Amino acid sequence: MYTDLKDQLTAELAEIEEAGTFKHERVISTPQSNRITAGPLGREGAQVLNFCANNYLGLADHPRLLDAAKQALDERGFGMASVRFICGTQDLHLQLEEAVSSFLGTEATILFSSCFDANGAVFEPLFGKDDAIISDALNHASLIDGIRLSKAARYRYRNADLDDLRTQLEATRAQNEGRGARRTIIVTDGVFSMDGYLAPLPGICDLADEYGALVLVDDSHAVGFMGDTGAGTPEHFGVSDRVDLYTGTFGKALGGASGGYVSGRAEIVAMLRQKGRPYLFSNSLAPSIVAATLAALELVAGSAELRATLFRNAELFRRRMSEEGFELLEGEHAIVPVMFGDAALAARMADAMLEHGVFVTAFSYPVVPAGKARIRVQLSAAHSEADVEAAVQAFIASRTAVQS
Ligand SMILES: *Cc1c(COP(=O)(O)O)cnc(C)c1O
């Protein structure tokens, strides 16, 4: 009897629309790139500059990736029609796992359909009721969900707050009738995506050593471009060998298609192959995606040029916006939040930006704290300096338009 539920959902959807939090999708009719054609559903799109993709290195339409994907389609087919352990493992999958390990400097890697799945897989087989998982309050939804799937005791520390992390580590000592948790793991995003802030990894690793805890970093917003060789935030902070587990996505800087991984200690990865439910019960990554991601890693490992362009663009944008009197959250990441405070103002600015040919997104409560509404700008190596300046000019023109 769908009638009741239909009425309830219709009313609920109307409430979301009224609250102004309904997520309307813009439809893009070009490849993901610095310039895209995008418009509201059902209307013809306009060409706009794109400053809200996670396409940090501009690889989403890179010719080398496209060639690799096409070649894999010809030589390895479209799909695997199997999970990995039955008949879904090609040589390409093993090559990509090795390439990720070698890129990150880890012992072993296991692939998943997404980082959401990687985070859904990693906790449940390793941490049971005698164990403790300590998680940053601003961690990604997939970490929160993955942690919930395990039976471990859950602790949460205030975002990037080492004092509170210590408090939570102390609290684990009460577990198991005062004998302390059997296994303890500290879990953090490498980069907090609403602020572009980096997790304080050296302090986290020090506390982990002091309390005998493991460290897991989800480096989805950093893998491929943070650190000297692009290996991510642990490399950036010089703590690569102190991080036990990395999770990450291929869906952002590394081509942006899909796929994720858990990488790190060999025995843990071996156990996930036996017991990780999203690995055992979900389809193997498509060969074309695997091959193109391999090409992405080769590109990134072989040259620092794309990283350098990305950070040049980010610095240029930060400098120009500050000169023009906009309030930014300080940082070193390619995520640059432009602060407006008021939710309605940020939303009007984002609309005005689109009219001035620049696609950006406004974020407000509950995604960010109340009164801290912002437009999150994301730079890419695909942007030219002229693109960056065009975005700055669009901010200036939109500010004038919104104020009048
Ligand atoms: C984007 C993101 C994910 C999800 O990655 P998918 O591969 O798209 O599932 C997980 N964790 C973090 C921190 C992310 O930023």
Side-chain angles (χ1 to χ4, degrees):
M1 281 300 285
Y2 181 54
T3 337
D4 287 354
L5 180 56
K6 180 183 168 74
D7 293 345
Q8 290 157 11
L9 293 181
T10 305
E12 222 175 291
L13 286 164
E15 275 169 34
I16 297 172
E17 181 76 71
E18 261 167 53
T21 51
F22 197 96
K23 295 172 199 68
H24 293 278
E25 295 177 7
R26 277 182 201 286
V27 181
I28 300 172
S29 52
T30 54
Q32 182 64 277
S33 195
N34 61 331
R35 275 170 208 284
I36 55 174
T37 300
L41 192 62
R43 277 205 272 147
E44 196 168 335
Q47 208 198 69
V48 291
L49 277 169
N50 185 8
F51 280 85
C52 56
N54 302 312
N55 185 25
Y56 294 112
L57 296 175
L59 296 181
D61 63 344
H62 193 286
R64 292 260 294 269
L65 274 67
L66 300 184
D67 285 347
K70 286 174 190 166
Q71 195 185 340
L73 275 172
D74 287 342
E75 293 177 2
R76 301 297 160 83
F78 177 63
M80 292 309 299
S82 170
V83 298
R84 284 285 300 273
F85 83 95
I86 298 180
C87 58
T89 299
Q90 281 179 335
D91 50 352
L92 288 176
H93 294 93
L94 301 179
Q95 281 169 33
L96 180 56
E97 288 175 338
E98 269 181 32
V100 171
S101 303
S102 124
F103 183 66
L104 298 179
T106 51
E107 292 172 5
T109 299
I110 173 171
L111 302 180
F112 291 89
S113 305
S114 66
C115 186
F116 207 108
D117 273 352
N119 289 336
V122 67
F123 300 105
E124 185 263 341
L126 300 168
F127 301 95
K129 65 175 177 33
D130 295 337
D131 304 319
I133 303 179
I134 310 182
S135 175
D136 188 289
L138 291 191
N139 276 347
H140 191 264
S142 55
L143 287 172
I144 296 169
D145 288 7
I147 291 167
R148 278 197 192 125
L149 292 172
S150 90
K151 297 204 162 53
R154 302 196 297 263
Y155 303 81
R156 203 164 74 137
Y157 64 99
R158 285 190 296 274
N159 177 229
D161 184 335
L162 294 174
D163 291 332
D164 197 29
L165 173 55
R166 179 184 289 281
T167 304
Q168 303 309 317
L169 282 160
E170 281 294 332
T172 65
R173 292 187 160 164
Q175 255 180 269
N176 299 328
E177 285 135 19
R179 283 174 281 117
R182 180 185 64 152
R183 300 172 182 166
T184 302
I185 187 166
I186 303 168
V187 179
T188 184
D189 282 12
V191 177
F192 297 98
S193 65
M194 285 299 139
D195 301 323
Y197 292 160
L198 311 186
L201 295 184
I204 289 174
C205 291
D206 287 348
L207 283 168
D209 288 347
E210 192 179 330
Y211 285 86
L214 300 157
V215 176
L216 180 150
V217 176
D218 177 345
D219 227 10
S220 289
H221 274 287
V223 65
F225 60 97
M226 292 299 296
D228 278 349
T229 71
T233 51
E235 182 184 46
H236 172 85
F237 284 114
V239 297
S240 303
D241 54 342
R242 303 172 71 193
V243 169
D244 300 285
L245 289 174
Y246 295 68
T247 64
T249 185
F250 303 132
K252 291 187 170 107
L254 296 174
S258 60
Y261 57 85
V262 176
S263 192
R265 308 294 180 197
E267 299 75 16
I268 295 179
V269 168
M271 189 57 78
L272 294 179
R273 267 190 226 286
Q274 301 306 311
K275 295 194 170 172
R277 292 170 68 82
Y279 186 80
L280 295 174
F281 299 109
S282 186
N283 204 29
S284 182
L285 270 180
S288 54
I289 291 178
V290 175
T293 307
L294 267 166
L297 279 174
E298 248 169 55
L299 262 176
V300 170
S303 159
E305 199 184 313
L306 293 173
R307 290 194 287 288
T309 307
L310 170 65
F311 286 111
R312 247 197 337 270
N313 285 340
E315 276 162 36
L316 176 64
F317 182 75
R318 285 181 186 276
R319 180 168 61 73
R320 287 288 298 117
M321 288 293 282
S322 300
E323 284 170 6
E324 298 297 339
F326 287 94
E327 186 195 340
L328 310 178
L329 287 189
E330 302 233 337
E332 46 200 328
H333 197 266
I335 291 170
V336 184
V338 184
M339 305 303 285
F340 293 96
D342 180 60
L345 175 60
R348 284 208 307 280
M349 277 296 294
D351 289 343
M353 289 290 288
L354 197 59
E355 276 166 35
H356 289 91
V358 177
F359 188 14
V360 288
T361 311
F363 292 93
S364 56
Y365 184 80
V367 180
V368 296
K372 302 252 186 218
R374 66 197 64 183
I375 287 176
R376 181 179 71 171
V377 174
Q378 289 175 285
L379 283 300
S380 166
H383 294 132
S384 66
E385 283 188 19
D387 292 340
V388 175
E389 183 58 30
V392 175
Q393 292 303 324
F395 268 104
I396 297 169
S398 300
R399 178 170 59 188
T400 307
V402 163
Q403 277 167 356
S404 63

